[in-house]
Amino acid sequence: MKVGVPKEIKTHEYRVGLTPGAVREYVAAGHKVLVETNAGTGIGSTDDDYRKAGATILDSAREVIASSEMIVKVKEPQASEWVQLQENQILFTYLHLAPDPEQAKGLLKSGCTAIAYETVTDTHGGLPLLAPMSEVAGRLAIEAAGTALKRYTGGRGRLIGGVPGVQPSRIVVIGGGVVGTHAARMAVGLGAEVTIIDRSIPRLRELDELFQGRVRTRFSTIDSVEEEVFAADVVIGAVLVPGASAPKLVSRKMLSSMRKGSVIVDVAIDQGGCFETSHPTTHADPTYEVDGVIHYCVANMPGAVPLTSSHALNNATLPFGLAIANKGFAAVLENPHLRAGLNVYRGRLTYKAVADSLGLPF
Ligand code: NAD
């Protein structure tokens, strides 16, 4: 199959759909890979790196898209991209169609087949192509907190791990899923005192087992959230209720009793955030202050580390992408996990939740 990789064009998006290593795998499996010139610049991979991996470099996205049977990207196609898509082409990328009627209409009109990373499933009921970005965001959350805690950025001036004889930071992680676990790992590694709050008792049991006494776990109630948040130097918001907006677990009133110079990192901001005072920020201007509490609410945290994020994403997408390249649309029909990723098929929406939220026929 001819597989195309255009350069990402969304503002501040530096990741790439296929790394040179992934290209090598496609080429080894007998596919032809067409890569737009400079597609890998954001991760430090040159056109020559792609050529060595077996890719053909083309001058424009237009040429790449026009010549490919499958197009592999990172972000949802922009208007200038979806108008180029055609029937018989397969698009494999993050789509996030539910809040984006314009893109949905564009993809429907193109007649293409679009498989969304975010709805592909695995045998454990997880979302394997979303998980790597949650891992990145969870780990980054502690780095972001460490920066925001510094005095010159308005923070309390407490070192995350303290030093011998001086107490470390207290870090509270609300939501012990993928983001929360990875945040906790980093925080424990740096020597912080860590508490994870979750509403799932089985999950709290797993976390207790995993961390072997290095974190405290608490069941999520208004009382436990309030107690922990009041004593915290850092609170990480990492809850997810699938298909719904994040619950507001920390109210404005609670916030006003938090320590001045403490930090919240609301990773769940892409679902509306779990602090009443959160609003999305960008890497260019990541923090703001409310009631003396520093808020970090960047909605696309993995974009800060495109090198790590592209490799993590490619590791996860590779087996699915190869299956599509090897078998074409038959791969989608025979693999229920890829089938779960199918959002658009030749002018029809094929994912019920997306169709429902857009008010379009399914
Ligand atoms: P996940 O499903 O793995 O974990 C969510 C956890 O929240 C679960 O353990 C669940 O039991 C818990 N939870 C739900 N309601 C709760 C409540 N009331 N109190 C306490 N815990 C509760 O999800 P995840 O992959 O860890 O993602 C978490 C959030 O981070 C999502 O909104 C995701 O979209 C977001 N995210 C943001 C970025 C970013 O760049 N900002 C990047 C990746 C993921």
Side-chain angles (χ1 to χ4, degrees):
M1 187 180 268
K2 284 187 187 155
V3 179
V5 185
K7 185 173 168 64
E8 292 297 314
I9 54 172
K10 200 167 175 186
T11 315
H12 293 308
E13 181 53 64
Y14 304 108
R15 290 174 290 177
V16 60
L18 293 183
T19 59
V23 167
R24 199 168 168 197
E25 299 287 336
Y26 278 80
V27 171
H31 304 294
K32 186 168 172 57
V33 183
L34 309 168
V35 176
E36 183 182 350
T37 185
N38 295 323
T41 305
I43 64 162
S45 293
T46 62
D47 287 352
D48 264 352
D49 294 330
Y50 278 98
R51 280 193 197 97
K52 277 184 203 139
T56 301
I57 303 295
L58 297 179
D59 284 339
S60 66
R62 189 162 289 279
E63 288 168 82
V64 169
I65 294 173
S67 318
S68 302
E69 294 155 273
M70 167 160 83
I71 292 122
V72 184
K73 277 176 50 60
V74 179
K75 294 305 277 187
E76 70 278 5
Q78 305 299 293
S80 64
E81 294 173 315
W82 74 58
V83 293
Q84 298 176 52
L85 292 169
Q86 295 158 23
E87 212 176 310
N88 300 324
Q89 284 184 322
I90 298 176
L91 173 67
F92 190 41
T93 190
Y94 288 119
L95 290 177
H96 298 290
L97 279 179
D100 195 349
E102 289 311 308
Q103 187 205 163
K105 281 182 213 146
L107 291 180
L108 290 170
K109 197 169 167 211
S110 75
C112 79
T113 297
I115 300 161
Y117 290 165
E118 70 273 12
T119 62
V120 171
T121 53
D122 64 19
T123 44
H124 316 292
L127 301 170
L129 307 191
L130 215 47
M133 295 306 101
S134 288
E135 292 171 350
V136 170
R139 291 180 178 221
L140 260 180
I142 302 302
E143 290 188 15
T147 302
L149 267 179
K150 306 229 165 70
R151 192 73 194 105
Y152 59 78
T153 57
R156 298 194 76 204
R158 174 169 273 166
L159 189 59
I160 286 196
V163 289
V166 182
Q167 78 183 89
S169 295
R170 266 180 97 143
I171 299 190
V172 176
V173 180
I174 311 180
V178 182
V179 167
T181 305
H182 283 266
R185 284 182 78 114
M186 291 292 277
V188 164
L190 287 171
E193 237 178 81
V194 182
T195 302
I196 306 179
I197 301 177
D198 203 290
R199 67 171 182 175
S200 156
I201 294 174
R203 185 61 193 150
L204 291 175
R205 287 201 182 102
E206 284 170 6
L207 290 165
D208 185 59
E209 194 64 29
L210 179 70
F211 285 100
Q212 296 282 311
R214 296 286 313 276
V215 305
R216 296 190 314 132
T217 56
R218 293 201 66 179
F219 183 65
S220 182
T221 60
I222 299 170
D223 268 354
S224 65
V225 168
E226 196 169 73
E227 258 175 56
E228 294 297 334
V229 159
F230 288 174
D233 297 295
V234 173
V235 183
I236 309 288
V239 299
L240 176 65
V241 178
S245 295
K248 302 284 178 213
L249 300 176
V250 179
S251 63
R252 171 85 201 232
K253 191 158 177 285
M254 276 188 209
L255 189 95
S256 63
S257 297
M258 283 180 68
R259 292 165 154 173
K260 301 301 168 208
S262 58
V263 170
I264 66 171
V265 178
D266 199 350
V267 186
I269 191 66
D270 61 342
Q271 300 290 334
C274 52
F275 300 80
E276 196 184 341
T277 45
S278 296
H279 64 72
T281 59
T282 62
H283 290 295
D285 190 11
T287 57
Y288 61 95
E289 185 236 292
V290 180
D291 282 347
V293 177
I294 313 298
H295 291 51
Y296 175 102
C297 305
V298 174
N300 65 330
M301 294 175 69
V305 286
L307 182 56
T308 300
S309 298
S310 295
H311 283 286
L313 183 61
N314 271 253
N315 290 345
T317 58
L318 185 62
F320 294 102
L322 274 178
I324 302 169
N326 290 339
K327 297 184 176 172
F329 190 66
V332 177
L333 294 177
E334 68 186 40
N335 180 337
H337 301 300
L338 262 179
R339 174 67 185 81
L342 187 68
N343 279 221
V344 177
Y345 179 65
R346 297 193 171 188
R348 286 188 50 202
L349 283 173
T350 49
Y351 198 87
K352 189 168 186 318
V354 167
D356 288 350
S357 63
L358 289 168
L360 290 171
F362 168 62

